[in-house]
Structures are given as structure tokens and as C-alpha cells.
């Protein structure tokens, strides 16, 4: 730390992203898609677009917001786009909860929520999950605070239904409810329709997982025109060109290619179910994950030891050294052959321990 960092940020504990590596490994630690993006993405990233990079990107993001709006049956003024959904979450937490406002979130959830709460001076309440790791929806009914919940939740993978989301949103009319649907494509539902009925709901989605574009950094929020106008006011006060021209083009092409992505998503879901069943046969306790990762624990081997042994074999999975989940691994659903290698390796590791 230099002598110059503001005292306000001295105690900030940053979010720790999953490791990115250059050597050849089986990478099941950051919930990326095993599939390349749609070929339509490659088509639009052509020399015509590159030759226009001397110009700033469109700060209004008209093309991208229209493409997203069309998919979700809303108007473009109900769509806000960010540099990854992290950017959207940051603007939302800053704008609706910052400088002394409130926020409630599940105690075990996406690690960025407490970091944003801290950096933006938000009074955060972290609400414990049920013993089976499910979100206790009743805890959020009539809470009287702003709320952020990942649905499906991370790293548990568990989801709750649209009618339960509606109860939370309807019972907190004077607060913003942010539903982070980063993994919802793998669950096959969405509460985005509710934004037409409730002006206090913001649904956040990302291109990073379902659309194989984690490296592109595009996410978006869907909400009432007024909420979206607020987010744009903040964005135009901070970084108007938050999405670059190549990302705008690529994401706009990707979101329209339902045929390609529906197929890849259903393949990931099929692999998730197959591998979950195999892990359960090996005695693992796996949550009923509705996302593109599996959350698993075994009585036969400690999770940190298993993560280390898999790493020795070139397989990266995510281990969180945190209370209540420190005997669990979060394993991204990768390519079928990689998942077969994972199961084979786990079998061997368990045999060695006998
Ligand atoms: N929400 C959740 C629950 C996540 O797990 C992630 C991925 N780390 C994000 C949001 C952010 O994803 P991105 O910024 O790539 O859109």
C-alpha cells in the first residue's frame, strides 16, 4: 500500500477471482462455458468494425440494448448494459444502496456483494441460508431493505421459483430487489417478466456463462424505465463508454442466436445431471444445482485435500475456505471428456486413500 491510498479504502478486502492459467489444464474453477461462442460472433468481428475503432463506442448502446430488449420482450429503455454483470451490480449497489443505504443478501452467496457494499458504504445484512443451503424466502418478505439474491445462488446452485421472487418484490415496494440471474439460463426460467409489473425489480444477467463470452465482459440489467434511467445517470457520471465497440457487436450477434445457445445450454445441463449422478454414486453429497456448476462434498475426503490432489493432476476446481462451505467444492460443468477425466481422477484419489 502506498502512502496515498484514501483511508476510506485501507480496510477494503477485494473479491478474489478464480485463477486464470496459461498452461494446459482442465479448468473447472470459474464457471466458464466449455463451448466457443456462436459462429455469428466471429462473423461480426470483421475488418469493417475494426476499422471504425478510431471512433468512440456508442454510449447509448442502442444496438445492444435493442437486441436484448427483443429477446426479453421489453423496450430498450428497460435495459442497462455493463462491462460484465459485475459492472451492472456495482452501479446498482452504488446507486440504490450507496452512502449509508441498506442491503440484505444471503450469507453464502456471490462474494462480490459484500465487497461492493463495503466500497460504496452500504449497511449490509447477511442472512443465513437454511441448513440445506436453500434461501429462506420468508426472511426477505417485508424486509424493508434493498435486497440482492443470486438465483440460482452461487456457489450452492440452488434456485427458487418466480412466484417466490414475486412475493419478495411485492412485499418490499419501497426498496429495490436485485435478482442476479447469472446462471438462470441453466435453470430454464426467469423472473424478467415481473419487471413489467413491479418498478422495484432489477434482473441482472450475463453473457459470460450461457453465451460463452466471459472474456467479452458484457452483462445487463432489466428493470423499469425509471430504474434503468437511474443506472444510466450513474454510468454517465462515471464511465459513459463502458462497453467497447467490439463487445457491442459481438454480444448483439450472440443474443440473437437462440438456436446455437439453446443447444449448448441443454448439453451443459445434460452433462451436469450425468456427472452429479456419478458423484452421488461415489458417495458425494451434491446440491440439486440448477446452474452450470456442481456443489459437492464427500465424507471420504476433505474438500481442500481433494482440490489439491486434483490440481496435482492438472484439474482446477474452486474451493472456498469459508465457514459452512469449507468441505465443499464448486466444480464447473465442462466438456464431457474433461468431466470423464474428473470422475476417473476422483475415483483414483479415493482408491489411494483406502
Ligand atoms: N453474479 C454471479 C452470481 C457470478 O457468479 C458471477 C461470476 N463471477 C457474476 C455475477 C459476474 O459475472 P460477469 O461479470 O462475468 O458477468
Amino acid at each position: 500500500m502506498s502512502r496515498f491510498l484514501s483511508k476510506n479504502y485501507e480496510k477494503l478486502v477485494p473479491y478474489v477471482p478464480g485463477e486464470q492459467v496459461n498452461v494446459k489444464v482442465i479448468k473447472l474453477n470459474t464457471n466458464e462455458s466449455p463451448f466457443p461462442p456462436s459462429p455469428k460472433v466471429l462473423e461480426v468481428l470483421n475488418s469493417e468494425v475494426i476499422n471504425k475503432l478510431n471512433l468512440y463506442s456508442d454510449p447509448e448502446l442502442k444496438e445492444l440494448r435493442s437486441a436484448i430488449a427483443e429477446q426479453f420482450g421489453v423496450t430498450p429503455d428497460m435495459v442497462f448494459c455493463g462491462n460484465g454483470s459485475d459492472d451492472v451490480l456495482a452501479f446498482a449497489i452504488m446507486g440504490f444502496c450507496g452512502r449509508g443505504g441498506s442491503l440484505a443478501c444471503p450469507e453464502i452467496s456471490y462474494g462480490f456483494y459484500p465487497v461492493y457494499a463495503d466500497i460504496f458504504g452500504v449497511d449490509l445484512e447477511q442472512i443465513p441460508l437454511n441448513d440445506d443451503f436453500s434461501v429462506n424466502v420468508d426472511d426477505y418478505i417485508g424486509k424493508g431493505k434493498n435486497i440482492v439474491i443470486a438465483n440460482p445462488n452461487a456457489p450452492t446452485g440452488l434456485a427458487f421459483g418466480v412466484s417466490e421472487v414475486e412475493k419478495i418484490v411485492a412485499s418490499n415496494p419501497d426498496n429495490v430487489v436485485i435478482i442476479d440471474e447469472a446462471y438462470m439460463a441453466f435453470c430454464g426460467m426467469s423472473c424478467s417478466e415481473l419487471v413489467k409489473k413491479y418498478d422495484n425489480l432489477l434482473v441482472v444477467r450475463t453473457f459470460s456463462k450461457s453465451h460463452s463470452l466471459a472474456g467479452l465482459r458484457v452483462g445487463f440489467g432489466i428493470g423499469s424505465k425509471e430504474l434503468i434511467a437511474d443506472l444510466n445517470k450513474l454510468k454517465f457520471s462515471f464511465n459513459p463508454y463502458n462497453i467497447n465497440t467490439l463487445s457491442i457487436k459481438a454480444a448483439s450477434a450472440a443474443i440473437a442466436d437462440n438456436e446455437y445457445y439453446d443447444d449448448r445450454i441443454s448439453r451443459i445441463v445434460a452433462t451436469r445431471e450425468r456427472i452429479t449422478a456419478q458423484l452421488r454414486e461415489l458417495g458425494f453429497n451434491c446440491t440439486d444445482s440448477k446452474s452450470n456448476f456442481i456443489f459437492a462434498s464427500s465424507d471420504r475426503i476433505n474438500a481442500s485435500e481433494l482440490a489439491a490432489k486434483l490440481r496435482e493432476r492438472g484439474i482446477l476446481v474452486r474451493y472456498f475456505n469459508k465457514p459452512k462451505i469449507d468441505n465443499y467444492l464448486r466444480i464447473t460443468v465442462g466438456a464431457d471428456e474433461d468431466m470423464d477425466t474428473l470422475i476417473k481422477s476422483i475415483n483414483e484419489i479415493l482408491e489411494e486413500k483406502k
Side-chain angles (χ1 to χ4, degrees):
M1 191 168 59
S2 77
R3 293 178 286 128
F4 307 107
L5 184 68
S6 158
K7 293 266 173 288
N8 294 322
Y9 302 125
E10 265 179 7
K11 294 206 177 98
L12 191 67
V13 182
Y15 172 74
V16 183
E19 195 180 353
Q20 296 293 344
V21 285
N22 283 326
V23 288
K24 174 122 187 57
V25 289
I26 295 181
K27 203 172 165 304
L28 307 176
N29 64 336
T30 46
N31 299 340
E32 291 141 331
S33 173
F35 299 110
S38 150
K40 303 234 162 89
V41 168
L42 203 59
E43 273 171 36
V44 294
L45 295 181
N46 52 31
S47 54
E48 196 191 326
V49 175
I50 290 168
N51 277 330
K52 287 201 184 133
L53 286 177
N54 56 318
L55 305 177
Y56 280 106
S57 60
D58 172 17
E60 303 281 348
L61 302 164
K62 289 187 266 322
E63 180 182 356
L64 180 56
R65 291 168 76 196
S66 301
I68 295 168
E70 197 179 319
Q71 288 295 319
F72 284 83
V74 295
T75 48
D77 55 5
M78 297 174 78
V79 179
F80 175 81
C81 297
N83 197 284
S85 58
D86 282 339
D87 200 34
V88 181
L89 290 165
F91 280 120
I93 294 174
M94 184 200 310
F96 303 123
C97 326
R99 297 195 184 162
S102 69
L103 182 66
C105 73
E107 181 190 39
I108 297 168
S109 193
Y110 184 35
F112 234 134
Y113 306 148
V115 180
Y116 286 139
D118 190 9
I119 198 166
F120 297 127
V122 178
D123 178 21
L124 179 70
E125 178 183 348
Q126 292 179 277
I127 301 178
L129 297 176
N130 291 322
D131 289 343
D132 63 359
F133 291 134
S134 59
V135 170
N136 183 5
V137 171
D138 288 342
D139 287 339
Y140 299 86
I141 304 290
K143 187 76 197 156
K145 293 184 177 186
N146 300 303
I147 292 168
V148 60
I149 305 179
N151 191 33
N153 198 8
T156 64
L158 294 176
F160 55 92
V162 174
S163 60
E164 288 165 302
V165 172
E166 181 160 12
K167 281 188 212 152
I168 297 174
V169 176
S171 68
N172 290 285
D174 298 324
N175 291 101
V176 175
V177 177
I178 304 167
I179 301 293
D180 179 353
E181 292 194 342
Y183 300 101
M184 196 45 114
F186 307 100
C187 181
M189 59 175 183
S190 172
C191 68
S192 56
E193 274 293 306
L194 295 178
V195 301
K196 295 175 189 162
K197 196 167 160 193
Y198 297 96
D199 67 356
N200 62 325
L201 171 65
L202 183 73
V203 181
V204 178
R205 312 260 316 206
T206 178
F207 284 83
S208 296
K209 325 288 179 180
S210 55
H211 285 66
S212 307
L213 287 167
L216 195 73
R217 310 306 304 130
V218 182
F220 56 96
I222 303 177
S224 66
K225 285 180 199 168
E226 293 76 18
L227 280 189
I228 299 305
D230 290 343
L231 292 173
N232 272 315
K233 181 174 172 177
L234 288 168
K235 168 184 126 142
F236 279 87
S237 309
F238 188 75
N239 182 8
Y241 310 105
N242 64 336
I243 306 195
N244 70 70
T245 303
L246 301 180
S247 295
I248 293 170
K249 285 279 169 205
S252 304
I255 194 103
D257 196 352
N258 291 323
E259 199 184 328
Y260 178 88
Y261 285 111
D262 288 350
D263 171 71
R264 300 315 185 273
I265 291 165
S266 59
R267 280 153 73 177
I268 290 169
V269 168
T271 306
R272 176 187 78 204
E273 296 304 310
R274 181 173 76 82
I275 298 300
T276 300
Q278 291 188 20
L279 284 170
R280 286 185 177 142
E281 265 170 42
L282 285 172
F284 278 80
N285 177 19
C286 302
T287 59
D288 188 16
S289 173
K290 298 291 182 216
S291 60
N292 69 338
F293 55 81
I294 296 167
F295 195 53
S297 155
S298 167
D299 290 339
R300 295 166 70 186
I301 185 163
N302 180 286
S304 65
E305 183 185 349
L306 180 55
K309 292 224 148 101
L310 286 170
R311 193 189 172 87
E312 282 166 19
R313 289 160 194 258
I315 302 175
L316 302 187
V317 296
R318 192 84 199 258
Y319 171 69
F320 297 94
N321 191 5
K322 287 192 178 157
K324 300 186 187 169
I325 56 168
D326 60 357
N327 204 25
Y328 276 79
L329 292 182
R330 192 196 69 189
I331 306 168
T332 304
V333 177
D336 272 308
E337 57 277 21
D338 288 344
M339 298 312 279
D340 291 338
T341 307
L342 169 84
I343 294 289
K344 188 166 162 279
S345 304
I346 292 178
N347 255 315
E348 287 166 8
I349 293 165
L350 291 177
E351 278 306 309
E352 276 168 18
K353 269 199 85 78
K354 271 190 180 161

